Amino acid sequence: MDINSTFSVAAPIDEVWKTLMDFERVAGCVPGAQVLNKLSDDAYQVGMKVKLGPVTMQYRGQMTVLERDGDAHRAVFEGRAQETRGQGTAQGTATLTLVEAEGRTLGTVSADVGLSGKVAAMGRSIIGSVTDQMMSLFAENLQAMVAGPAPDQAEPAAGQVAGAGTDTTESAAAAPPAPPITTTPAPRPPQAAAAAETSLNAFELAKGIVLDQLSSLPKLLCVIAAVAFVAYRLGRRAGGR
């Protein structure tokens, strides 16, 4: 099965390439994926969790970097995985290519994948659509990762620090009261949320696709009924002659 996907990131191509080649870091951008162990600079033990309705499938396998060309911003990967609680398998090769245009980095992933088991029963159209949605989430998380911390997280200026050449008593009196400390955690960046959420609910992604396909069924039935009615009328006229 051939799968082709694209993504776009507003960042220089060298920065995006460097981030993508840090597999242990960028794995958190892929919904459901994680690097379990680094076997070498070009081989990693990986895990993937996919949820199809009430059924959760977990894969474990190995990803190997077959080619890596930093000048051309092109890499070729090979992956093999098997269900930890089932007979399903997934294997294939993927080629990643980056190009830069108008301040953005455009990525293309072309993969030749072989599937068996429950995932293979989803069909080519569903798998392709789910892959596109995964790539969209990946691009959003990658964009947040290469963007870095927000500017408002900078350290305060030296002249604003209490005790830096000022009377601390007057500063304390003039300063507004400190806000109460709460235990609500700060919002996590998208890549952290993706790393924590290790389950991809492919059922929810595919459900909308199936509903869209079924929405055209009434129209098709109307066309079939109209054709049948015309054929019936023509048949009666021919029989009456």
Side-chain angles (χ1 to χ4, degrees), residues 151-166:
D152 57 2
Q153 295 180 355
E155 294 294 330
Q160 297 175 338
V161 178
T166 61

Side-chain angles (χ1 to χ4, degrees), residues 133-222:
Q133 300 230 22
M134 286 180 61
M135 189 61 69
S136 177
L137 294 173
F138 167 77
E140 292 178 7
N141 295 331
L142 179 62
Q143 179 68 72
M145 180 175 288
V146 298
D152 57 2
Q153 295 180 355
E155 294 294 330
Q160 297 175 338
V161 178
T166 61
D167 187 344
T168 57
T169 303
E170 293 181 0
S171 299
I181 299 175
T182 64
T183 58
T184 303
R188 294 177 298 175
Q191 66 268 26
E197 179 53 50
T198 58
S199 174
L200 170 67
N201 194 337
F203 176 78
E204 292 298 327
L205 296 178
K207 183 170 64 176
I209 303 166
V210 174
L211 291 177
D212 289 340
Q213 294 175 348
L214 291 179
S215 64
S216 61
L217 183 58
K219 298 178 182 179
L220 178 61
L221 292 177
C222 290

Side-chain angles (χ1 to χ4, degrees), residues 24-25 36 53 76 80 97 101 131 163 199 218 221:
E24 293 177 283
R25 181 184 177 209
L36 303 175
V76 181
R80 298 175 180 271
T97 305
T131 301
S199 174
L221 292 177

Side-chain angles (χ1 to χ4, degrees), residues 81-99:
Q82 184 170 358
E83 284 187 73
T84 57
R85 297 182 181 179
Q87 301 299 319
T89 61
Q91 59 182 352
T93 58
T95 301
L96 166 68
T97 305
L98 301 181
V99 296

Side-chain angles (χ1 to χ4, degrees), residues 20 37 63 79-80 118 132 144:
L20 290 175
N37 189 24
M63 184 198 74
R80 298 175 180 271
K118 300 174 184 177
D132 291 341

